[in-house]
């Protein structure tokens, strides 16, 4: 049993702990300007975590899903994974003399982005298969790590993993501090994103949903190996996002965040559920600090989702006006 | 700052907390008989959680995977999901008069298990597609819930979800208490297992890996819907288990538990990794309390894995001798 002195002393300790917690929690989103967007996010989180309120959601149902390209990190001039594939083609070219006369490899080696763009989805798929398959899963992770450690963005001259959005990092932390489980749901490759999701976003590999190629289990020289095959397994984009979420998470999110029409179905699936729901749509409006693009962009096109956001109740983030900073300070 | 009295009082409180924790942790596996099997499990857990030891594994890498059928719950006379499909065929038969003359449905409706067995994998696949597809994911969850709430096992006259192995429930708890993340990696249907994994095993939907059929996202009458299609997506068995683990978890487990040759590759993939690893193989040796079967069983055949266990260092559980009880007390 606790003595009266012990109870008194414990009271002091707990009061001190409570006071310092309240102090540090004054602004969970310091890089977001005060205004309706930030207010909407905070109100939602307070609502679903209020045990006495009618909108309370138990922690195990607090699932939040985030698109990656253009939503957690930048996606211009083109998806960073495509820049990885381009660098990889250049690195592998000496072993593939036939690429000098074969599109889209020829275009990549000559730096002819116009011809590469004209090769369309089929051309990109060929690049992906030539650069992402044919090795073990372990070897692929090493290749991606090496690239991310050295490659630099053409405009910002920074590593790609530093071109993440500081306000979104704070939002991920804020949600997790309120017992949300945060997932990435990306059109990009699941193994590519997993390479940096934990150190950069605090999201472990199992909480990454993405596109994938097939892998094959085989025992090579007595060693169990997973080999990456040049064959699509799943495209986690548009209608694929709710399918991927269901397959991987098995629960409908209550919070979804995206920035393009590729995220439309994820937001619609999320916010059509019963009870409190939140859809967040990032609008790139800041040509000076980052980029300004929407309806006419081939990368990250935002058109129908922007039209339908008001009717669906999705909150649109105006990057230029809602964010105090875009990227974290340069290391 | 804390006063001397407060520090003293806090010391008393913490000592009390530590003492009661130590007291409750005396036997984490009370349904396991003392002996080499239990000792091997406890030694492994103590080793990987000892921060000062050479075999320490950080919590984020403590991934444990468990087969379900015959490993966490029983699988005789046949997989419980097949019994679900059989009951479902009977329930749907009035809407399908053509089934009276069509195999394998005719065999099911006539209770002719011999003919059903002879229909093989192709016949079972037909049953699965007819009973597991054509509805929304939400509707399917309701159908499974209703069945599990009422159906009874033919021999034990208990609900299927009560035919789980008490020693394995304790093992799951023990691993989680030591900061392992526990996954089910089942040849059974992912959505079927997810229906009961959280209340029965304490494993949330996102930590279930299983076989699956394809789903399609569509907006029906303005309502986003995931519809289950009669088409295989992935078979999470044998070579499929390491593939499913990589796709879903993105990390190699350090602990894997199975009971049949269908788990061979999962155990091999797990224990071939570097650092401390543990492979656990449940041998059904208890005809009285449960079932005794191995090399000649069509359900849950255990042959090659039993031969190779000693060479691979896998620990074999002898159900009859290692377990004090098999099932939890009847509710």
């Amino acid at each position: 049993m606790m003595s009266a002195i012990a109870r008194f002393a414990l009271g002091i300790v707990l009061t001190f702990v409570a006071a310092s917690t309240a102090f540090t929690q004054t602004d969970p989103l310091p890089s977001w300007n005060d205004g309706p967007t930030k207010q909407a996010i905070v109100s939602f989180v307070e609502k679903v975590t209020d045990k006495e309120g009618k909108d309370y959601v138990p922690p195990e149902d607090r699932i939040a899903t985030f698109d990656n390209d253009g939503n957690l990190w930048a996606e211009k001039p083109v998806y960073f994974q495509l820049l990885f594939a381009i660098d990889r083609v250049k690195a592998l070219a000496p072993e593939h003399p036939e690429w000098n006369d074969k599109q889209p490899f020829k275009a990549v080696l000559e730096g002819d982005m116009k011809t590469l763009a004209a090769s369309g989805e089929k051309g990109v798929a060929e690049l992906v298969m030539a650069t992402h398959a044919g090795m073990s899963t372990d070897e692929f992770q090493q290749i991606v790590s090496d690239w991310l450690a050295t490659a630099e963005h053409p405009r910002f001259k920074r590593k790609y993993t530093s071109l993440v959005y500081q306000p979104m990092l704070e939002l991920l932390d804020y949600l997790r501090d309120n017992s949300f489980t945060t997932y990435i749901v990306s059109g990009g490759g699941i193994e590519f994103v997993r390479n940096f999701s934990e150190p950069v976003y605090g999201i472990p590999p199992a909480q990454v949903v993405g596109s994938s190629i097939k892998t094959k289990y085989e025992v090579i020289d007595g060693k169990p190996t997973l080999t990456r095959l040049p064959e699509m397994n799943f495209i986690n984009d548009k209608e694929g996002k709710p399918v991927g979420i269901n397959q991987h998470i098995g629960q409908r999110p209550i919070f979804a965040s995206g920035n393009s029409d590729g995220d439309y179905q994820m937001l619609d699936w999320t916010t059509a559920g019963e009870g409190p729901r939140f859809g967040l749509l990032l609008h790139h409006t800041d040509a000076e600090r980052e980029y300004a693009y929407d309806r006419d962009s081939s990368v990250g096109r935002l058109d129908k989702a922007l039209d339908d956001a008001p009717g669906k109740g999705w909150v649109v983030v105006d990057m230029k006006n809602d964010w105090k900073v875009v990227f974290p300070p340069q290391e």
Side-chain angles (χ1 to χ4, degrees), chain A:
Chain A
M1 292 302 99
M2 233 186 271
S3 74
I5 291 178
R7 252 184 285 126
F8 170 75
L10 188 65
I12 293 174
V13 172
L14 293 179
T15 305
F16 178 78
V17 169
S20 51
T21 305
F23 181 76
T24 58
Q25 279 187 351
T26 43
D27 189 354
L29 300 171
S31 300
W32 293 70
N33 284 315
D34 291 328
T37 306
K38 179 173 177 172
Q39 189 50 50
I41 294 169
V42 172
S43 296
F44 177 78
V45 171
E46 288 178 349
K47 184 167 77 175
V48 302
T49 55
D50 175 9
K51 274 199 168 168
E52 310 303 320
K54 67 172 178 45
D55 289 322
Y56 178 72
V57 176
E60 62 270 25
D61 293 332
R62 293 181 204 157
I63 307 288
T65 54
F66 287 79
D67 173 50
N68 185 45
D69 294 311
N71 195 55
L72 294 181
W73 74 356
E75 62 183 349
K76 291 276 183 180
V78 293
Y79 302 122
F80 296 171
Q81 194 176 356
L82 181 54
L83 298 174
F84 162 75
I86 287 171
D87 282 355
R88 194 76 197 136
V89 165
K90 291 175 184 165
L92 292 171
E95 301 162 36
H96 294 273
E98 74 279 12
W99 285 353
N100 288 314
D101 304 304
K102 192 182 169 191
Q103 294 295 9
F105 304 97
K106 186 168 184 282
V108 168
L109 296 175
E110 291 171 350
D112 175 3
M113 290 299 113
K114 215 170 216 173
T115 302
L116 176 58
S119 75
E121 279 185 28
K122 190 173 161 289
V124 169
E126 276 185 78
L127 284 191
V128 168
M129 294 311 169
T131 54
H132 287 63
M135 71 291 278
S136 75
T137 50
D138 289 348
E139 287 162 349
F140 182 71
Q141 287 303 328
Q142 192 58 53
I143 291 166
V144 176
S145 287
D146 290 347
W147 183 77
L148 286 173
T150 54
E152 277 196 352
H153 188 273
R155 172 177 159 196
F156 294 104
K157 310 293 179 202
R158 291 170 64 155
K159 284 180 191 163
Y160 291 103
T161 48
S162 84
L163 294 173
V164 293
Y165 303 133
Q166 176 64 24
M168 298 303 263
L169 297 180
E170 292 169 8
L171 177 55
L172 287 168
D173 277 338
Y174 176 49
L175 292 172
R176 288 190 293 251
D177 286 345
N178 282 280
S179 302
F180 279 73
T181 306
T182 53
Y183 286 85
I184 290 171
V185 177
S186 174
I190 187 168
E191 295 296 351
F192 184 82
V193 178
R194 277 172 169 166
N195 190 273
F196 59 92
S197 62
E198 174 98 62
V200 173
Y201 304 129
I203 294 179
Q207 286 160 224
V208 177
V209 185
S211 298
S212 57
I213 58 177
K214 288 194 189 293
T215 58
K216 184 188 176 187
Y217 178 82
E218 48 193 348
V219 178
I220 302 175
D221 297 335
K223 196 183 159 199
T225 305
L226 285 168
T227 303
R228 293 170 60 83
L229 305 180
E231 191 184 339
M232 269 321 287
N233 179 55
F234 183 67
I235 297 179
N236 193 60
D237 197 29
K238 301 190 176 76
E239 288 81 5
K241 288 206 171 185
V243 171
I245 287 169
N246 183 64
Q247 173 73 13
H248 205 105
I249 308 176
Q251 289 178 271
R252 198 193 290 223
I254 66 165
F255 182 108
S257 158
N259 72 297
S260 79
D261 283 358
D263 301 312
Y264 190 104
Q265 289 82 357
M266 173 171 77
L267 266 68
D268 209 15
W269 172 244
T270 298
T271 60
E274 284 173 28
R277 303 279 161 166
F278 201 94
L280 191 69
L281 199 59
L282 174 58
H283 190 188
H284 291 259
T285 52
D286 197 330
E288 199 177 315
R289 294 186 300 178
E290 203 239 9
Y291 298 95
Y293 59 97
D294 46 37
R295 299 180 194 277
D296 299 322
S297 179
S298 61
V299 170
R301 176 180 318 227
L302 176 62
D303 186 26
K304 185 170 159 50
L306 201 55
D307 289 339
D308 291 0
K312 299 274 187 190
W314 301 339
V315 174
V316 178
V317 180
D318 176 338
M319 183 184 273
K320 187 172 178 178
N321 292 310
D322 282 327
W323 286 1
K324 282 194 188 122
V325 298
V326 175
F327 302 124
Q330 181 75 280
E331 282 160 33

